[in-house]
Amino acid sequence: MFGAACWASDVRRKKVVDTITRSSELLEELTEEFSPCAEENTPGLRVMDRYQERVLFITFDPKEENALPRRRGLLNNTYAQAKGNQSKVCCGVDCSIPKRASQQAVASFVIEQAGQEQLASAWVAGKVLSADAELFAIRMAVGRAVMLENCHHIIIFTDSMAMAKRAVDPSVHSGQAHSLAVCKALAQWFSAAEDNRVEFIATPSKLEWGLQHAAHCRARSLPPIPMGRRPATSLDAMRKRITDSALDSWATMFRDKSYRGYHFLPLMETKGTDIAPKYAAGGSWLKFVGEEVNLCTRMCRAILNHAPIGDYYRRFNIPESYSCPCGAERQTREHLFTRCPKVDTNRRTPKLVKELVGYLQKNPLAFGFKPPSEGIG
């Protein structure tokens, strides 16, 4: 399909407005370049292959008891120990993502070393996601810290441990150039002294703690910066725009009964909120049934009205009885939901997806096939 769109004439492309043609247009805005064969990405020469024991990640589990107070104590103790030691450099990093799509993201860092003035800087990051901007901030902080005299221990406080790990991953990904710069700077710094090491500490933004919060305020201190004619654009930002465009098109098409089917059962996730199709996090409907295969299949049949019931047999001219075992002349989906005395009905057609799931759980045979006769199967 994408190939067909590429071969279409310019006149034809202008007349066609869909996700495929839109994706082709957006890819032309991508400015990021990738280096799959970079020296820093060579097996055996990667920074994590050579100096893994010198790169530490102090993660954070928010589910632990008193997680935030305990993390604040760890951060305070770490900072206090580093404050009087000139060989330790503390870096707070963060970013700011504008609400308006016409403005650029900002990355920032704040660096402190005993006996030296505080260093702080903010950089325009371009049309990127928060993860890309955070990675950019880590790159800038590492690049500046390794140049400081008597620096042997770099401590980076970040609210994105995923980006901290990506910073030392030289493989092809969104923001690879930042990772390559970090890996190159650290490799040279590690080779200069055997006791040099870097430590990434997860710092939840909820704490509004010290250097990390100072970097946050620094990023937000810049006035809104317009995109300009050709801003730096990351791969993940482009993916998100293409995905959002596809989801918007999907949601628009889904409102049309001729697309979703005239027998499709409209449901709401919560009162007043119609369910829109999506693919992430288990999708829009299937996430409510988990791993229960029988419940899942019966829910799909009920929603689509493609179920072993009389109304389905009638529509598709299947030689089965159209009547309901309760004696009703026609066994319809609405009849099973509202009036059939053979099942525990809700007295109305379900409007909420949880209501439908509850109905199916109360009636384990509803919208299911009849068990085989004795002696068969």
Side-chain angles (χ1 to χ4, degrees):
M1 184 182 295
F2 183 77
C6 291
W7 285 106
S9 65
D10 292 339
V11 176
R12 177 60 177 165
R13 286 189 200 179
K14 292 178 180 179
K15 292 182 179 180
V16 177
V17 180
D18 62 4
T19 303
I20 299 298
T21 54
R22 178 63 175 155
S23 299
S24 180
E25 294 174 2
L26 289 175
L27 286 174
E28 295 178 0
E29 300 178 16
L30 182 64
T31 61
E32 187 171 8
E33 297 182 356
F34 304 97
S35 302
C37 299
E39 182 180 351
E40 292 78 13
N41 194 29
T42 305
L45 298 181
R46 302 185 187 104
V47 69
M48 293 301 286
D49 292 341
R50 300 169 62 190
Y51 306 107
Q52 183 176 3
E53 70 283 354
R54 298 205 226 171
V55 182
L56 305 178
F57 300 98
I58 309 300
T59 58
F60 172 71
D61 184 1
K63 296 182 181 179
E64 290 183 357
E65 185 177 359
N66 298 321
L68 288 175
R70 291 174 60 185
R71 179 48 52 121
R72 185 183 292 277
L74 171 67
L75 295 172
N76 290 336
N77 290 337
T78 302
Y79 179 71
Q81 293 174 10
K83 196 172 182 180
N85 190 337
Q86 192 175 19
S87 67
K88 293 186 177 183
V89 174
C90 293
C91 310
V93 297
D94 202 19
C95 63
S96 176
I97 304 300
K99 294 181 179 179
R100 294 184 179 180
S102 60
Q103 298 172 355
Q104 298 193 53
V106 176
S108 64
F109 67 75
V110 176
I111 296 178
E112 288 187 359
Q113 183 183 27
Q116 303 296 325
E117 292 185 2
Q118 184 185 83
L119 301 174
S121 185
W123 303 71
V124 174
K127 188 188 297 184
V128 300
L129 301 184
S130 59
D132 300 312
E134 185 79 11
L135 181 58
F136 184 25
I138 293 174
R139 170 191 178 173
M140 294 296 105
V142 170
R144 188 68 182 87
V146 296
M147 293 190 295
L148 297 176
E149 293 184 6
N150 301 320
C151 172
H152 296 286
H153 185 183
I154 300 173
I155 305 173
I156 298 179
F157 301 97
T158 173
D159 60 3
S160 177
M161 192 54 59
M163 290 305 102
K165 294 178 179 180
R166 181 176 283 190
V168 291
D169 175 12
S171 63
V172 175
H173 56 255
S174 184
Q176 185 201 20
H178 301 319
S179 298
L180 291 176
V182 170
C183 290
K184 184 176 182 178
L186 288 179
Q188 294 175 349
W189 184 64
F190 286 146
S191 64
E194 293 184 357
D195 60 340
N196 286 354
R197 63 193 179 103
V198 63
E199 184 175 0
F200 296 92
I201 302 182
T203 310
S205 55
K206 289 182 179 179
L207 290 177
E208 297 186 352
W209 179 86
L211 289 182
Q212 197 277 330
H213 186 62
H216 171 77
C217 295
R218 178 73 177 182
R220 294 180 62 88
S221 66
L222 292 186
I225 302 170
M227 285 292 179
R229 296 184 62 182
R230 189 169 173 79
T233 305
S234 70
L235 178 61
D236 279 355
M238 195 57 59
R239 282 175 174 167
K240 185 177 186 304
R241 290 184 64 191
I242 293 173
T243 301
D244 290 345
S245 176
L247 290 175
D248 288 344
S249 298
W250 194 9
T252 300
M253 295 170 67
F254 186 73
R255 298 190 190 101
D256 186 354
K257 287 186 178 181
S258 63
Y259 171 78
R260 71 170 185 260
Y262 290 95
H263 294 275
F264 194 94
L265 180 64
L267 293 168
M268 295 183 289
E269 186 165 350
T270 57
K271 190 174 181 180
T273 305
D274 293 330
I275 292 183
K278 62 182 180 181
Y279 67 89
S284 303
W285 293 268
L286 299 184
K287 64 182 180 182
F288 290 95
V289 295
E291 302 295 328
E292 298 184 55
V293 177
N294 179 271
L295 179 61
C296 176
T297 54
R298 292 189 299 119
M299 185 183 76
C300 291
R301 293 172 190 152
I303 292 174
L304 300 173
N305 207 16
H306 277 236
I309 60 176
D311 188 48
Y312 179 82
Y313 298 146
R314 181 190 62 80
R315 281 191 290 131
F316 290 93
N317 197 27
I318 297 174
E320 294 283 350
S321 174
Y322 302 162
S323 61
C324 182
C326 73
E329 183 178 352
R330 287 180 57 189
Q331 187 189 38
T332 64
R333 179 174 63 184
E334 183 186 8
H335 170 77
L336 290 173
F337 280 145
T338 62
R339 296 187 297 275
C340 184
K342 293 283 187 178
V343 296
D344 187 355
T345 64
N346 293 335
R347 302 301 178 188
R348 74 168 192 176
T349 299
K351 296 182 181 298
L352 301 174
V353 64
K354 289 185 178 180
E355 190 178 356
L356 172 61
V357 172
Y359 168 87
L360 295 173
Q361 289 173 333
K362 288 189 299 182
N363 300 283
L365 299 180
F367 298 99
F369 285 95
K370 297 176 183 178
S373 302
E374 187 175 350
I376 299 178

